[in-house]
Amino acid sequence: MAFRDDFIWGAAAASYQIEGNTQGVDGCADSVWDMCSRRKGFVLDGNTGFNACDHYNRYEEDVQIMKSLSLDAYRLSIMWPRVMPEGTGKVNQTGLDYYDRLVDELLANGIDPWVTLFHWDYPMALFHKGGWLNDDSSDWFAEYTRVIVDKLSDRVSNWFTLNEQACFIGLGHQSGMHAPGLQLATKEVNRAWHNALLAHGKAVKILREEAKKPAKVGAAPCFRTAAPASNSEQDIEAARQRTFNVVDDQMFNATWWMDPAFKGEYPQDGLALFGNDAPEVKDGDMDIICQPLDFVGINVYNSELVKMGANGQPEVVPYPNDYPYTHFRWPVTPESLRWTTQFLYERYNKPLIITENGLSTNDWVSLDGKVHDTTRIDFLNRYLLGLKQAADSGVDIMGYFQWSILDNFEWAEGYLQRFGLVHVDYATQKRTIKDSGFWYKSVIESNGSVLGSSNPLDGWRAPEDFNRNIKS
Ligand code: IFM
């Protein structure tokens, strides 16, 4: 079986990671990531997202690259303080017009824009008022959503509310590794968590009620996932339980996000585990949070390997040191796409879309002017085969967004990690399509039928000319 005929082949990126041109350019105000970029030692090597890939000025060139790679869809996000410098109130028309032009440019080139409302660039002005800890924060997000929906929903049909709440609340407010760099007690973390869920629900409601053309809505969460160590029923059950059990007080438990959003309740084991630190739920909150969604979006990069332990509990099997790891030292686990999608489909019974998946390596431009990123080709080949296995076994998979179209600002890791299908020389902003970009094009054009367990490079060569035609 192949991927379904209307399978969506896309790539993704996020505003702060590629646009640059923050720092007051055209009225853009600071986000918490601008603030943290200035904090000594927060981002590797003192890197910042102030310039990033200058996509703000180069979006036309970048859309031509996307077109040349035959993308059906591009997942972009909106920088909240570019559009509303104070977070609420006055709209910065110049900032808003930029997204208007970007959407038009994509559509004119046959690429469907899938818009994420929030991918971490939280307005500093609202952080000063308490950010996600403030119980008005979901209303602030609703106000911002309304502005975007009013402007773009005559052309945009597919929406995501929040990207990876586990990261912007968990890493941002609990471990402090991400902006705004807070290390709060669990009770406060869960307060921010609950407010972000309310923001999600309010945004979905606005999209349903106010979009100018029917909106398809989901979110792009991430969480700890698990794959079975063998095909035995016991190990599969162990992996399922490990995926859905709330196992610690960190924010990466799948059901801590998914159950409120899809079932209108926090999972019982999580409530028991958090005890007095669980979120305070007011009357009507769960109805606001649990809005009908069109699909389950999920960002997946790797999973734990799990077997059923002798005590009847899931047991994590560690990967050995010589296991294949990415440059981030994440294990390469193609089976994560196969099993995560299946488990989520069983539990939430909605079509799935992979909203992010990809490999970070330290790519460079070879003497021949090309980027020979064979490991990324092998990684994508394996993961897409894993996804296809899930589709073949009956899981309804709508599409796949590779992360990321361009190398970009990888948050606290600065520019160390390169995830792109397109190499970016940050000093000159020259773009070079990597071999994996050309290979992905052949996957898209064949709707996945070129995927295979044999060497994906057999019989295939990157086109000689295309990179020469990209203006630098
Ligand atoms: O770059 C990030 C992205 O912003 C969110 N998901 C994970 C990616 C890789 O770390």
Side-chain angles (χ1 to χ4, degrees):
M1 245 174 83
F3 290 104
R4 53 194 244 188
D5 286 345
D6 59 352
F7 194 83
I8 298 145
W9 292 100
S15 41
Y16 195 78
Q17 293 179 272
I18 63 169
E19 287 176 6
N21 301 275
T22 62
Q23 308 308 289
V25 173
D26 289 345
C28 181
D30 269 2
S31 73
V32 291
W33 271 99
D34 290 302
M35 179 265 286
C36 281
S37 293
R38 286 189 206 105
R39 191 170 126 188
K40 226 172 166 212
F42 195 88
V43 177
L44 190 76
D45 290 339
N47 292 161
T48 74
F50 302 165
N51 300 320
C53 307
D54 192 28
H55 178 70
Y56 184 74
N57 291 312
R58 294 167 194 260
Y59 71 92
E60 288 164 306
E61 173 190 355
D62 293 338
V63 170
Q64 285 314 305
I65 293 175
M66 295 176 205
K67 183 179 182 186
S68 78
L69 297 186
S70 303
L71 295 190
D72 298 325
Y74 169 53
R75 179 176 165 237
L76 64 112
S77 75
I78 311 275
M79 191 181 290
W80 187 348
R82 190 184 295 292
V83 168
M84 298 177 86
E86 296 297 314
T88 56
K90 194 167 176 315
V91 172
N92 174 25
Q93 203 53 49
T94 316
L96 192 55
D97 287 348
Y98 161 69
Y99 294 104
D100 206 41
R101 292 195 302 277
L102 175 57
V103 162
D104 281 346
E105 188 70 16
L106 287 161
L107 290 169
N109 286 284
I111 300 165
D112 199 17
W114 287 56
V115 172
T116 305
L117 291 167
F118 179 67
H119 195 129
W120 308 356
D121 26 25
Y122 195 79
M124 262 316 280
L126 295 182
F127 177 66
H128 288 142
K129 295 182 180 169
W132 291 112
L133 288 167
N134 188 314
D135 291 342
D136 290 337
S137 55
S138 58
D139 289 330
W140 302 337
F141 189 68
E143 184 182 335
Y144 155 70
T145 299
R146 202 162 260 130
V147 169
I148 304 302
V149 169
D150 184 52
K151 185 71 171 182
L152 300 181
S153 69
D154 56 335
R155 286 151 293 155
V156 173
S157 319
N158 294 290
W159 301 85
F160 303 105
T161 55
L162 307 175
N163 184 75
E164 294 183 353
Q165 184 167 323
C167 292
F168 72 82
I169 299 294
L171 302 183
H173 295 70
Q174 190 169 39
S175 70
M177 287 161 57
H178 276 193
L182 303 179
Q183 291 182 321
L184 301 175
T186 311
K187 178 92 189 155
E188 302 312 311
V189 178
N190 266 331
R191 180 180 187 145
W193 183 265
H194 190 68
N195 282 332
L197 279 172
L198 285 165
H200 158 82
K202 288 180 185 179
V204 179
K205 201 158 183 295
I206 289 167
L207 280 158
R208 294 262 176 254
E209 289 169 3
E210 299 178 27
K212 295 174 187 161
K213 62 178 189 171
K216 293 249 165 58
V217 192
C222 71
F223 32 77
R224 189 195 58 256
T225 62
S230 79
N231 277 333
S232 74
E233 277 308 315
Q234 294 95 316
D235 287 353
I236 293 171
E237 178 53 23
R240 184 181 288 115
Q241 287 180 19
R242 177 77 187 169
T243 301
F244 294 132
N245 290 351
V246 176
V247 299
D248 58 25
D249 66 355
Q250 305 298 294
M251 298 294 122
F252 286 83
N253 295 289
T255 52
W256 203 238
W257 199 89
M258 298 293 285
D259 278 13
F262 285 90
K263 292 166 163 254
E265 60 195 17
Y266 282 104
Q268 285 305 323
D269 61 342
L271 291 172
L273 188 140
F274 283 112
N276 290 336
D277 290 336
E280 191 186 317
V281 179
K282 299 196 190 73
D283 276 357
D285 279 5
M286 299 318 285
D287 293 337
I288 294 174
I289 291 169
C290 182
Q291 298 293 321
L293 295 173
D294 296 291
F295 41 78
V296 168
I298 164 88
N299 296 355
V300 188
Y301 290 84
N302 54 67
S303 56
E304 294 176 333
L305 198 61
V306 172
K307 67 176 184 183
M308 190 59 89
N311 62 357
Q313 295 298 315
E315 187 180 307
V316 177
V317 182
Y319 293 106
N321 268 337
D322 63 349
Y323 190 82
Y325 285 101
T326 74
H327 197 230
F328 235 129
R329 211 164 160 77
W330 294 348
V332 177
T333 60
E335 61 279 11
S336 52
L337 283 191
R338 191 248 177 279
W339 290 103
T340 304
T341 50
Q342 170 156 334
F343 294 153
L344 291 170
Y345 191 57
E346 286 167 2
R347 187 174 177 104
Y348 301 106
N349 197 22
K350 290 268 172 200
L352 275 109
I353 185 151
I354 303 301
T355 34
E356 286 182 22
N357 170 249
L359 169 76
S360 67
T361 54
N362 182 11
D363 309 305
W364 62 85
V365 182
S366 295
L367 284 177
D368 63 3
K370 298 177 184 171
V371 181
H372 301 297
D373 57 337
T374 49
T375 47
R376 183 168 290 101
I377 294 174
D378 188 57
F379 177 100
L380 295 175
N381 192 23
R382 287 172 190 263
Y383 273 69
L384 285 167
L385 284 170
L387 190 64
K388 188 162 170 298
Q389 263 186 304
D392 289 347
S393 72
V395 180
D396 186 1
I397 316 269
M398 290 168 59
Y400 173 89
F401 286 93
Q402 187 273 347
W403 182 271
S404 171
I405 184 67
L406 301 176
D407 289 341
N408 60 50
F409 177 71
E410 180 52 36
W411 309 113
E413 296 280 315
Y415 293 98
L416 180 69
Q417 306 289 345
R418 292 182 177 270
F419 277 94
L421 295 173
V422 177
H423 181 275
V424 177
D425 176 335
Y426 297 110
T428 62
Q429 293 296 347
K430 180 174 166 46
R431 275 79 161 133
T432 304
I433 299 179
K434 301 179 191 178
D435 286 359
S436 61
F438 293 116
W439 176 82
Y440 188 49
K441 173 182 168 76
S442 71
V443 174
I444 297 173
E445 289 173 355
S446 68
N447 198 27
S449 63
V450 300
L451 296 169
S453 52
S454 61
N455 183 347
L457 299 177
D458 280 353
W460 170 85
R461 292 190 49 200
E464 297 291 330
D465 293 329
F466 190 81
N467 275 320
R468 281 189 225 128
N469 297 330
I470 301 173
K471 64 178 182 319
S472 50

